Every structure is written in structure tokens, then in C-alpha cells.
Amino acid sequence: MAATKRKRRGGLEVQAKKPKRSRKDTGQPAKQAAVEKEVEEGDRDRIPGPVCKGKWKNKERILIFSSRGINFRTRHLMQDLRMLMPHSKADTKMDRKDKLFVINEVCEMKNCNKCIYFEAKKKQDLYMWLSNSPHGPSAKFLVQNIHTLAELKMTGNCLKGSRPLLSFDPAFDELPHYALLKELLIQIFSTPRYHPKSQPFVDHVFTFTILDNRIWFRNFQIIEEDAALVEIGPRFVLNLIKIFQGSFGGPTLYENPHYQSPNMHRRVIRSITAAKYREKQQVKDVQKLRKKEPKTILPHDPTADVFVIPAEEKPVEIQWVKPEPKVDLTARKRRIYKRHRKLQQKMNKGSAK
């Protein structure tokens, strides 16, 4: 159908004029066909890229943010987690005075159904909340031994936005609270398939290991097909405190009996150092008391002199003559040197005349 052109004022349609073909344009279709054949031949030799043809069904979105008062290491850890998790979102820092239930509203506004919240206290203690918003469950951890990507300087590397493998310790399947945490970690740290910001590659693995009643997090690069691993970072340790039924609160499902608060830990360290100081002071006081005590004189033991050999007695000599004074050799040498020098001067004067 020919193209039509509408006038400004009226509603009549006028057929547009076809452009005139010149002699130069007559040879263009042949050239275009030749170019298309070359492109097709090049595409045959080229390896096709990994094109995502699936549908994004898992709509997991993670909100990662913190409270006010965090230090630089916590801020870098948050940035590392956001970079490793393409399905995450960021938000401004939350005020300390606000209650934790407000986070559920923030997640709803950000269209997120999971949350990682870093809570800082006393500018030295860091707590991490993992929550399934808004219905729960949620878990609170104490974060220890934080090492960020910039701090470690490991040789491993991975593609930004690639999907990770999740490796869990077999101990996660032995106890019910660890099984619950495993499911929560899978839903939070696993990148959804066919996510718009993710890459269709699997080149690194997140490992969660249970040791000393703590969860140790590591990130490794898969460099070969035989599963050779090189650590990338970051790394941190999660010490479980409580598991709640709701999101950021509710009935307590599990409480860790091995958990020791940082305040109690610092108090124990201070008490140990104070005990050492007290012990030193007591030793000093005992030594002072021993010095002030009168010394006990033991009676003479007659058997102690059985093997003593008496020395020969020398006759006492009385000196009646005054001893001669000692000769000062240095003064004598000086006098001889002066005498010799005077003789030399007299001889030099006689020879000069």
C-alpha cells in the first residue's frame, strides 16, 4: 500500500510521491546481496553467545542496608555483598531510634521479600539480621572476623553478576535449627535464574561451614573443570544468637546456649588481666613481709665442722722500718725527656753559630 500524506488543515489524504531512481542506485541491490552473504558466512564461523531464552520466574529481591554508626569495614562488606548479589537493592541508613519493625515497611516499599540488615552498637560490635519479610522467620547473628575484598587482596576473581554455587556443611542437615538457617541462606544468597542483572555463568561458589558453633562464610573461584578453587573474598564468621518466628521479632524459636555477648567477653578479659595484676601485687607484699620478719638464728651444729681442715698459722711479723716510697716512673720519664730536650737545643744553637 502506498504511503499517504495528511494535510494540516483538511482531513484529505494525498498519496506521497515515490523517489526517483537514478542510474547510480541500479547496482546497489547486487552489492547489498553480496554484503549479506559475507555476513552470513562470518556468522557461521562465529560461536554464538549465551543468550538467555528462559523466563525470570524467581522474583527474590534482597534489601541490604545498615543502621547509623557503622565503621569503614562494615561499609566495605556491604558493598562487596551488593556486588556479588545482583538481585540486591540498597537503601539509606536507618536511624537507631527507629524500631526494627519499620524495616518490613521499607522492604514493602522497595518491593523486596528478603532483607540483610547490619546493626552497629557501641561503634565496635556488629550484628546481622537475616529476615524473610514480612512473615518471617528471621535470625540474628554476631559478625566476627570481617575481611573485605580490598583488604584480602586474593588472587581469585569472578565475573560481576554471575550466579554462584552454594556449598553447605553436612552438619546443616543434622539439627533442625541449622536446617532452617540453610533454607534461609539458600533463598537469600542464591541468584535467581534468568535475572535481568545476572550473567548466565557459574564461576564461583559460596561455602557455609559450621565450626566451633559458628557459621564460616567463604567465596571461592572455580578455575578449572576439576573443581580447583582459589579464594576471592570477602570472609566473615556468623555467631548465631536467636531465631525468631516473625520478621525482626516474635516468639523465639531457638536460642544459642554457647553464645557469649561481646560485653561479657570484654569483661572476662578485663577480669583475667586484673587477676594477673592482683597476683603480682600479692607476691610483692609477701616479699616485703618476709624482709621485715626477724631472722631466726639456728644453733651451731657440732657435726658441721667434722670435715673442716684447719689452716696453718703464720707467725705475726712486725715491721719496724719505714718502707721506701714507690718510684713514680711516669714523672721520672718526663724529667729525662726534658733534660734530653735541653741538650738538643744547646747543640742546635752551637752548630748555628
Side-chain angles (χ1 to χ4, degrees):
M1 185 176 178
T4 59
K5 187 177 180 181
R6 178 175 294 178
K7 290 184 178 181
R8 290 184 182 177
R9 294 182 181 177
L12 299 174
E13 294 181 354
V14 181
Q15 291 186 356
K17 295 181 180 180
K18 295 182 181 180
K20 295 182 179 179
R21 301 182 78 183
S22 61
R23 294 180 181 178
K24 296 179 181 180
D25 298 336
T26 54
Q28 285 184 358
K31 291 181 180 179
Q32 289 179 358
V35 171
E36 289 178 359
K37 287 182 180 179
E38 291 179 359
V39 172
E40 288 178 0
E41 290 177 358
D43 291 339
R44 289 174 188 171
D45 299 334
R46 190 182 301 166
I47 299 172
V51 181
C52 177
K53 295 182 180 180
K55 190 177 180 181
W56 177 33
K57 296 180 181 179
N58 185 7
K59 304 289 184 177
E60 294 286 347
R61 296 182 183 89
I62 315 300
L63 180 64
I64 302 176
F65 72 118
S66 68
S67 65
R68 297 194 180 275
I70 60 173
N71 54 8
F72 69 97
R73 185 172 279 110
T74 308
R75 187 175 68 255
H76 289 193
L77 177 63
M78 284 173 49
Q79 293 174 358
D80 295 342
L81 290 177
R82 287 170 186 166
M83 186 171 57
L84 291 172
M85 301 164 67
H87 60 297
S88 63
K89 290 186 178 182
D91 194 23
T92 57
K93 295 178 182 177
M94 197 178 76
D95 197 0
R96 295 180 184 176
K97 296 179 181 178
D98 295 338
K99 295 184 179 180
L100 295 177
F101 294 103
V102 181
I103 301 175
N104 295 325
E105 299 177 4
V106 177
C107 290
E108 188 177 356
M109 287 189 293
K110 288 284 184 177
N111 197 16
C112 296
N113 49 9
K114 298 288 186 299
C115 180
I116 299 178
Y117 175 66
F118 292 95
E119 185 180 7
K121 291 185 178 180
K122 295 186 176 181
K123 295 186 179 180
Q124 56 183 348
D125 302 330
L126 180 65
Y127 299 91
M128 178 193 284
W129 285 85
L130 301 180
S131 174
N132 180 21
S133 178
H135 304 294
S138 59
K140 185 179 181 181
F141 300 90
L142 174 68
V143 187
Q144 299 171 329
N145 300 337
I146 301 173
H147 298 282
T148 59
L149 277 170
E151 182 183 356
L152 286 174
K153 294 182 180 178
M154 294 290 185
T155 57
N157 195 5
C158 65
L159 185 68
K160 185 177 181 181
S162 60
R163 300 178 64 232
L165 293 175
L166 298 184
S167 174
F168 288 91
D169 195 292
F172 274 97
D173 299 326
E174 295 177 359
L175 296 173
H177 64 278
Y178 280 137
L180 178 61
L181 289 177
K182 179 181 177 181
E183 185 62 31
L184 189 61
L185 292 171
I186 288 172
Q187 294 183 15
I188 289 176
F189 284 93
S190 63
T191 302
R193 195 178 183 188
Y194 304 127
H195 192 276
K197 293 183 180 180
S198 66
Q199 298 289 340
F201 303 103
V202 178
D203 58 353
H204 63 288
V205 55
F206 292 160
T207 61
F208 298 91
T209 311
I210 295 175
L211 183 65
D212 195 18
N213 297 314
R214 291 169 173 83
I215 299 174
W216 300 65
F217 174 85
R218 295 289 185 273
N219 181 21
F220 294 97
Q221 177 193 0
I222 305 171
I223 56 175
E224 293 179 5
E225 294 181 358
D226 58 348
L229 301 177
V230 177
E231 188 170 358
I232 304 172
R235 57 165 69 167
F236 52 88
V237 181
L238 299 177
N239 190 1
L240 179 63
I241 303 174
K242 283 183 180 181
I243 300 176
F244 300 96
Q245 185 176 355
S247 179
F248 297 98
T252 303
L253 299 179
Y254 176 78
E255 185 174 359
N256 188 7
H258 306 285
Y259 171 72
Q260 187 181 35
S261 65
N263 293 332
M264 184 60 67
H265 182 66
R266 287 190 285 267
R267 181 182 176 184
V268 169
I269 292 174
R270 287 197 299 269
S271 63
I272 290 171
T273 53
K276 289 182 181 178
Y277 179 75
R278 271 191 251 104
E279 188 177 352
K280 288 181 181 179
Q281 291 296 325
Q282 289 175 0
V283 171
K284 288 181 181 179
D285 295 340
V286 170
Q287 290 176 353
K288 288 180 182 179
L289 291 173
R290 286 181 180 176
K291 289 179 182 179
K292 291 180 181 179
E293 288 179 357
K295 296 182 179 179
T296 55
I297 301 172
L298 298 174
H300 179 67
D301 189 5
T303 60
D305 301 332
V306 173
F307 299 100
V308 176
I309 300 173
E312 296 180 358
E313 295 182 1
K314 294 182 179 180
V316 180
E317 294 182 0
I318 300 172
Q319 191 174 1
W320 300 97
V321 182
K322 184 180 178 181
E324 295 180 359
K326 294 182 180 180
V327 180
D328 192 359
L329 296 176
T330 55
R332 190 174 179 182
K333 286 180 180 180
R334 286 176 187 171
R335 286 196 298 270
I336 294 169
Y337 175 72
K338 286 181 180 180
R339 197 180 303 150
H340 183 67
R341 191 174 177 186
K342 286 180 181 180
L343 289 172
Q344 286 286 340
Q345 289 176 357
K346 286 179 182 181
M347 288 174 66
N348 290 335
K349 286 180 181 179
S351 61
K353 291 179 180 179

